Amino acid sequence: MNPNLRRPTAFLLVVLSSHVCMAASPDWMMARDSEVKALVEKMTLAEKVGQMTQPDWRALKDRNDVGALFLGSLLCGGSSDPESGNTLKDWTGVYEDAQKQSLGTRLAIPLVFGVDAVHGHNNVLGAVVFPHNIGLGCTRDPELVARIGKVTASETRASGFQWTFAPCVAVPQDIRWGRTYEGFSEDPSVVASLGEASVRGLQGERISGRETVLACVKHFVGDGGTAFRSSTGGGLLDQGDTRVDEATLRSIHMAGYPAAIDAGVGTVMPSYSSWNGVKCTGNKRLLTDILKGELGFNGFVISDYNAIDQIIPPAPSATTVESNNASGQVNSADYRKCIEISINAGVDMVMVTDKYRDFVRQLQELVNEGKVPVSRIDDAVTRILRVKFAMGMMDKGAQLMADPALVADFGSEAHRKVAREAVRRSVVLLKNEKNVLPLTRKGGRIHVTGRGADDLGMQCGGWTVDWQGKRGEVTPGGTTILNAIREAAGEETKVTRDLDASGAAGADAIVVVVGEEPYAEMDGDKESPALAKEDADVIEAAKKTGAPVVVVVLSGRPILLGSAADQADALLAAWLPGTEGSGVADVLFGDHAPSGKLSFAWPRSIRQIPASHPTEAAESPLFPLGFGLAY
């Protein structure tokens, strides 16, 4: 490993050799276990298996199945919008209709409804969208990350949802991975610190508050270390195989879990990926022996979207059960075996999406056949109910419908102020020749160019309204970097705009905003994550004018800049800042000095990727981990 590329800070607090230090869920999580035990004893097998089942609400074949099958949870996937629309009101209606059905069952055990609120309540139009984790890692500020979690929880609860599948505590080691931006850093200690802060922000002290949500640390474990071209999910690295020894798995990839468990995180999601050829979702050593045993995790384990289907790779000629999944088609006998392996390995609730009826039937059959012990079912249901009791959902008179008092703060200016602060704190100044920055407001003309300047979708990236995100005005209420510059420049300074720098001649300064198209998961896997040719062309055209060129990069990872790094007089990494582009303008005009420090080393060439095993170890990176200039 090249020390110039990666300088992880001391990590002996969490990891000593191959042994993770003891962690444990806090006592308050188990405080009502006597009530949980009494309830479990009343439940039929069908009611227990229902608690373990989580379909995507859009995949329900009959909305009455919520009550008929005693479902314990629903989720809305990345693009599972209500038919009526994608507003707060639409989502509240979906949540409340489903919750009413669960409360009409014999035992009236409420649903816990999950959503991927991974950088704000990002599925819902008008929500505040925060920077993705890669940017927050550049702040190195747990207090700020906790405040972001608190705002996200409030906006999520405004729609009724009580559970987010966040934070991601992956420690990405290869920036070619399409989920790099979901990780706080390549440095395990940064991930551990900010992951814990996120849990505390989302859940509060005890998950039971009116404005708190259940958190989920993911993806256990090794998702950030998969080998190139090992993917089983259609990409290059995503859902691939992490080929490392146990000491490395613990010291790097398990780093975020002990602190999160100590903080009381209620759920953990296993990774789609494998560890040395064994799928994490079916790995009893990882889920039961280490996570629940050694790390003392007493919440429940929720599988990823159709992840159990991948435990046994499908045969090319396999027939479908009810639908396809991320790994291909699943043979009926193989699917039954996947259920058996995953539950016995330690999965407590299964994100089963559209095969939920088949899952419910087959799991009951496996119990009756003795292939899944009743004790394993009881343990899973105990864990699920333990969390529901801890959340206050089982209290008499509990507020189980959406709280209308929270609607006023949804997308509010106060919440956007927190996001704007997060943006300016996450921006990293990489270059500032001749003190081009900060920009002046004392007259003259600033020319703004590049495809990212007026594109909210590029600012937000993936997991924004749609799973993959999209270009353009993806959500209302946000501010693009162009509009932020116009607002910040003042009346004395003229701001002009085009896409290709054709009108840049004569400007006093040129701001070029470039970067990556939105993407998520395997769709973001790239063999060479480099600046697009059209972006490079705009930077080159701007440089030819002779005016100072400020380049702002919007990306979910460090990207190969080529000659653009030399052509830029000033260079800022803005990552995927979300809806509040004014935070970028705050730095450009010097209202706030840049303070961000790189959460990942920025490679000079493809030969330095991955950072852990570069082919040119002797060559220093373009910018090392922790680098960042100030004014």
Side-chain angles (χ1 to χ4, degrees):
M1 183 179 295
N2 180 359
N4 290 321
L5 290 171
R6 203 166 120 55
R7 296 185 293 102
T9 57
F11 199 56
L12 297 178
L13 291 175
V14 177
V15 179
L16 290 172
S17 184
S18 63
H19 300 286
V20 175
C21 75
M22 293 303 294
S25 297
D27 291 343
W28 56 257
M29 187 178 290
M30 290 75 74
R32 300 177 69 178
D33 272 9
S34 60
E35 295 172 82
V36 172
K37 185 175 185 291
L39 182 54
V40 172
E41 288 174 351
K42 295 178 183 178
M43 297 174 73
T44 65
L45 178 60
E47 288 169 329
K48 293 175 182 178
V49 169
Q51 284 298 303
M52 298 171 67
T53 308
Q54 185 193 58
D56 189 318
W57 84 274
R58 282 293 296 268
L60 290 174
K61 294 167 177 57
D62 185 330
R63 299 296 161 86
N64 292 322
D65 281 350
V66 173
L69 297 177
F70 314 106
L71 298 179
S73 182
L74 290 173
L75 82 143
C76 63
S79 298
S80 297
D81 301 341
E83 292 93 337
S84 58
N86 195 20
T87 66
L88 181 65
K89 181 179 179 180
D90 295 316
W91 277 114
T92 301
V94 166
Y95 168 80
E96 292 189 340
D97 287 349
Q99 193 65 275
K100 288 172 185 175
Q101 289 191 48
S102 70
L103 297 176
T105 59
R106 181 178 76 94
L107 296 174
I109 300 174
L111 284 167
V112 57
F113 209 131
V115 61
D116 286 291
V118 297
H119 62 142
H121 195 16
N122 43 263
N123 278 5
V124 182
L125 292 174
V128 176
V129 179
F130 289 91
H132 271 294
N133 285 348
I134 190 171
L136 299 183
C138 298
T139 71
R140 308 293 204 278
D141 188 342
E143 187 275 333
L144 174 60
V145 170
R147 280 193 285 129
I148 290 167
K150 186 175 181 180
V151 171
T152 298
S154 175
E155 297 209 355
T156 302
R157 285 299 296 268
S159 60
F161 301 132
Q162 324 98 317
W163 184 11
T164 175
F165 305 122
C168 177
V169 292
V171 187
Q173 300 296 290
D174 190 331
I175 62 171
R176 293 174 294 187
W177 185 36
R179 303 190 80 155
T180 296
Y181 63 76
E182 295 186 51
F184 289 108
S185 178
E186 67 179 51
D187 183 336
S189 63
V190 174
V191 173
S193 171
L194 299 186
E196 177 189 13
S198 181
V199 169
R200 293 192 186 280
L202 291 165
Q203 292 193 167
E205 289 302 312
R206 297 198 173 188
I207 331 179
S208 56
R210 184 173 67 96
E211 296 185 57
T212 62
V213 294
L214 177 63
C216 178
V217 287
K218 63 184 186 182
H219 307 86
F220 194 82
V221 58
D223 50 340
T226 54
F228 192 61
R229 299 196 187 282
S230 68
S231 174
T232 59
L236 297 170
L237 294 109
D238 195 48
Q239 303 180 24
D241 189 18
T242 299
R243 299 164 182 166
V244 298
D245 60 23
E246 186 167 322
T248 303
L249 188 77
R250 289 172 178 271
S251 65
I252 295 177
H253 301 289
M254 212 172 286
Y257 293 91
I261 291 169
D262 281 342
V265 70
T267 60
V268 173
M269 182 181 290
S271 180
Y272 278 118
S273 60
S274 303
W275 176 38
N276 293 327
V278 179
K279 284 288 184 181
C280 294
T281 306
N283 193 319
K284 187 175 182 181
R285 164 91 174 124
L286 291 176
L287 302 184
T288 297
D289 298 346
I290 296 178
L291 177 62
K292 295 180 177 180
E294 189 176 323
L295 295 180
F297 174 63
N298 285 307
F300 69 87
V301 173
I302 170 73
S303 68
D304 210 335
Y305 197 95
N306 285 342
I308 71 165
D309 303 33
Q310 300 186 12
I311 291 173
I312 299 176
S317 60
T319 55
T320 56
V321 177
E322 291 187 31
S323 75
N324 295 341
N325 67 86
S327 67
Q329 297 180 326
V330 182
N331 177 281
S332 180
D334 285 347
Y335 184 62
R336 187 181 187 85
K337 191 67 176 177
C338 289
I339 297 172
E340 178 185 342
I341 292 171
S342 62
I343 301 301
N344 284 333
V347 173
D348 302 308
M349 182 183 285
V350 175
M351 194 182 291
V352 71
T353 66
D354 58 346
K355 292 188 290 297
Y356 65 95
R357 288 179 176 174
D358 196 58
F359 171 81
V360 166
R361 174 181 59 81
Q362 294 208 49
L363 180 52
Q364 291 182 71
E365 291 172 357
L366 286 165
V367 173
N368 291 330
E369 294 166 6
K371 293 181 178 178
V372 174
V374 173
S375 59
R376 173 75 272 271
I377 299 297
D378 286 351
D379 174 60
V381 176
T382 294
R383 289 170 174 275
I384 293 164
L385 294 179
R386 174 184 290 148
V387 171
K388 289 186 178 183
F389 270 95
M391 294 173 69
M393 297 180 71
M394 305 299 293
D395 294 349
K396 186 176 181 180
Q399 173 70 42
L400 295 171
M401 297 298 126
D403 187 345
L406 300 180
V407 173
D409 286 333
F410 181 86
S412 67
E413 187 57 37
H415 287 181
R416 293 188 186 279
K417 184 177 179 181
V418 177
R420 181 172 178 170
E421 178 186 353
V423 174
R424 63 176 178 253
R425 296 282 305 282
S426 63
V427 169
V428 181
L429 180 62
L430 299 172
K431 183 180 180 182
N432 193 21
E433 297 290 333
K434 299 179 182 178
N435 294 322
V436 169
L437 293 178
L439 298 173
T440 181
R441 293 185 171 95
K442 298 177 180 178
R445 177 167 74 96
I446 298 171
H447 188 74
V448 183
T449 188
R451 59 191 178 126
D454 196 27
D455 194 315
L456 204 61
M458 280 186 70
Q459 285 179 207
C460 293
W463 294 108
T464 307
V465 180
D466 291 328
W467 171 41
Q468 293 292 326
K470 57 186 177 182
R471 294 282 304 273
E473 192 175 352
V474 65
T475 187
T479 303
T480 65
I481 293 172
L482 171 64
N483 287 334
I485 290 173
R486 284 173 170 160
E487 291 171 9
E491 296 181 358
E492 294 182 22
T493 302
K494 184 177 182 181
V495 177
T496 55
R497 155 73 173 154
D498 63 26
L499 285 171
D500 57 3
S502 57
D508 296 283
I510 304 171
V511 179
V512 188
V513 187
V514 297
E516 294 188 297
E517 300 271 340
Y519 58 81
E521 298 191 46
M522 71 290 293
D523 284 15
D525 284 1
K526 285 189 177 181
E527 188 161 355
S528 179
L531 191 69
K533 183 180 184 302
E534 62 183 297
D535 289 339
D537 289 345
V538 176
I539 295 169
E540 184 177 0
K543 187 65 175 177
K544 288 179 179 178
T545 67
V549 176
V550 179
V551 175
V552 178
V553 182
L554 302 174
S555 64
R557 53 195 154 197
I559 59 175
L560 303 175
L561 296 173
S563 60
D566 296 322
Q567 293 169 342
D569 296 291
L571 180 63
L572 291 92
W575 310 109
L576 300 171
T579 51
E580 307 312 302
S582 294
V584 177
D586 288 341
V587 174
L588 288 173
F589 285 93
D591 296 322
H592 293 270
S595 60
K597 306 297 180 185
L598 285 179
S599 51
F600 289 78
W602 199 294
R604 188 179 300 275
S605 71
I606 191 66
R607 295 182 297 276
Q608 295 180 329
I609 303 173
S612 56
H613 298 91
T615 58
E616 284 203 4
E619 185 182 28
S620 62
L622 189 60
F623 305 106
L625 174 69
F627 181 83
L629 301 174
Y631 295 152

